[in-house]
Amino acid sequence: DDKRFISQEVHDGDLVVIKPVISIPQNAVMVDGYTSYPGLYEYKEGMKLSELLKPDLFFIDSNMKFAYIERRYPPGSAPKYITFVPENVLSGKEDLELKPADRIVLFKFGNPKKINFNKIKDAFIVQGEIKYPGVYAYKKGMKLSDVLTPEILKVDTNLKFGLIERIKYPGAHPEYITFIPEDVLRGESDIELKPLDKITFFRLGDTKSIDFNKVKNAFVVEGEIKYSGVYAYKKGMKLSQILNPEMITMN
């Protein structure tokens, strides 16, 4: 019904895509995305997310750290995107009241390319040498220690170096913040997270994945030692903090 759009000349090789309109009745909510039971569910006033989200809606590789509600309420209003943590809803730590015609979208763990971060701001990415890479739901006041827990680590995760890539505003050059994972695990340091942060963990011994032209607060330890690789630098750091008996090999 847009005359200016519909009068455009079509050229050889053009691809015209007609997308379906997602129409959800006002007496229903929709469960969509990576789920075993997608579709419409009856809505009742005062209904909570926990009444709808049950373990059988999820697969073994579902993203239990991130999902969102697309809300167009009151009817005709611009969509709002509300992120939440599915595992917290299942455990009773978190809950949300639903509204008519809400669309709940669930995801598979891993590739974040299906997320439109221009629309969905309350999220961040965790990637690299960890067990649960993917998109995570962001909550105000969240800290790195909320994400970095022993169960997400792999055997060869570098506990001496991690990286947060942060964009303060659209179009700005990213800021690179280094951290020492083992210090966070011990409660000796922490960092407040921001929406759209990208947290990267690395494999022990990997020095090729770091662009040292961008990442300045880091250094490399290599040679005949147990824990070779990139280390996060802190002001005032001394060689004696790095060279200790546990670093020395039997050779």
Side-chain angles (χ1 to χ4, degrees):
D1 59 359
D2 185 335
K3 291 182 180 178
R4 211 169 87 179
F5 174 77
I6 209 73
S7 64
Q8 290 184 93
E9 185 178 348
V10 178
H11 299 280
D12 183 27
D14 279 356
L15 176 64
V16 181
V17 181
I18 312 298
K19 292 189 175 182
V21 175
I22 298 174
S23 180
I24 306 172
Q26 290 297 304
N27 65 343
V29 293
M30 175 181 277
V31 176
D32 203 0
Y34 193 65
T35 175
S36 49
Y37 297 106
L40 295 175
Y41 290 75
E42 182 184 4
Y43 171 79
K44 296 177 182 178
E45 190 174 352
M47 189 177 186
K48 297 281 188 78
L49 187 57
S50 58
E51 297 175 50
L52 189 62
L53 290 192
K54 301 299 180 185
D56 59 355
L57 284 175
F58 298 92
F59 296 110
I60 193 169
D61 56 349
S62 290
N63 187 339
M64 303 304 290
K65 307 290 186 182
F66 172 83
Y68 71 81
I69 298 170
E70 181 182 341
R71 177 167 293 167
R72 298 172 184 266
Y73 187 86
S77 60
K80 295 177 184 177
Y81 298 92
I82 305 161
T83 63
F84 65 91
V85 181
E87 66 182 10
N88 286 352
V89 176
L90 292 178
S91 67
K93 293 180 182 178
E94 178 184 1
D95 211 349
L96 293 165
E97 186 174 327
L98 296 175
K99 296 294 183 184
D102 274 354
R103 177 172 168 249
I104 298 108
V105 185
L106 306 176
F107 293 88
K108 183 179 181 179
F109 241 130
N111 197 336
K113 290 183 179 178
K114 292 185 178 181
I115 314 295
N116 186 345
F117 291 106
N118 293 317
K119 294 179 179 178
I120 300 164
K121 305 294 185 182
D122 287 335
F124 60 94
I125 295 172
V126 180
Q127 62 184 15
E129 196 66 20
I130 54 164
K131 292 178 183 175
Y132 309 117
V135 182
Y136 284 54
Y138 170 81
K139 301 295 178 186
K140 190 174 181 180
M142 206 170 188
K143 294 189 175 182
L144 184 57
S145 57
D146 294 320
V147 177
L148 178 48
T149 55
E151 60 264 21
I152 77 164
L153 299 174
K154 290 186 175 181
V155 174
D156 54 355
T157 301
N158 186 344
L159 295 179
K160 308 292 184 181
F161 177 80
L163 183 66
I164 298 173
E165 183 179 334
R166 177 172 293 169
I167 298 176
K168 291 187 175 179
Y169 56 89
H173 291 294
E175 175 187 4
Y176 296 94
I177 304 165
T178 61
F179 63 92
I180 302 173
E182 64 184 7
D183 284 359
V184 177
L185 290 168
R186 288 195 292 252
E188 295 175 7
S189 68
D190 214 343
I191 298 172
E192 186 171 335
L193 299 178
K194 299 293 182 184
L196 305 182
D197 276 352
K198 186 184 291 183
I199 305 166
T200 306
F201 293 90
F202 297 86
R203 181 174 52 81
L204 195 64
D206 177 14
T207 59
K208 295 181 180 179
S209 300
I210 315 297
D211 185 346
F212 290 101
N213 293 316
K214 296 177 179 178
V215 182
K216 304 298 184 182
N217 288 331
F219 60 94
V220 175
V221 178
E222 59 185 2
E224 198 65 30
I225 53 171
K226 290 180 182 177
Y227 307 113
S228 64
V230 181
Y231 282 55
Y233 170 78
K234 294 191 294 186
K235 190 175 181 179
M237 212 169 192
K238 294 185 177 181
L239 187 59
S240 57
Q241 294 173 252
I242 306 304
L243 294 181
N244 53 61
E246 70 172 16
M247 289 278 288
I248 309 302
T249 67
M250 297 300 292
N251 298 327

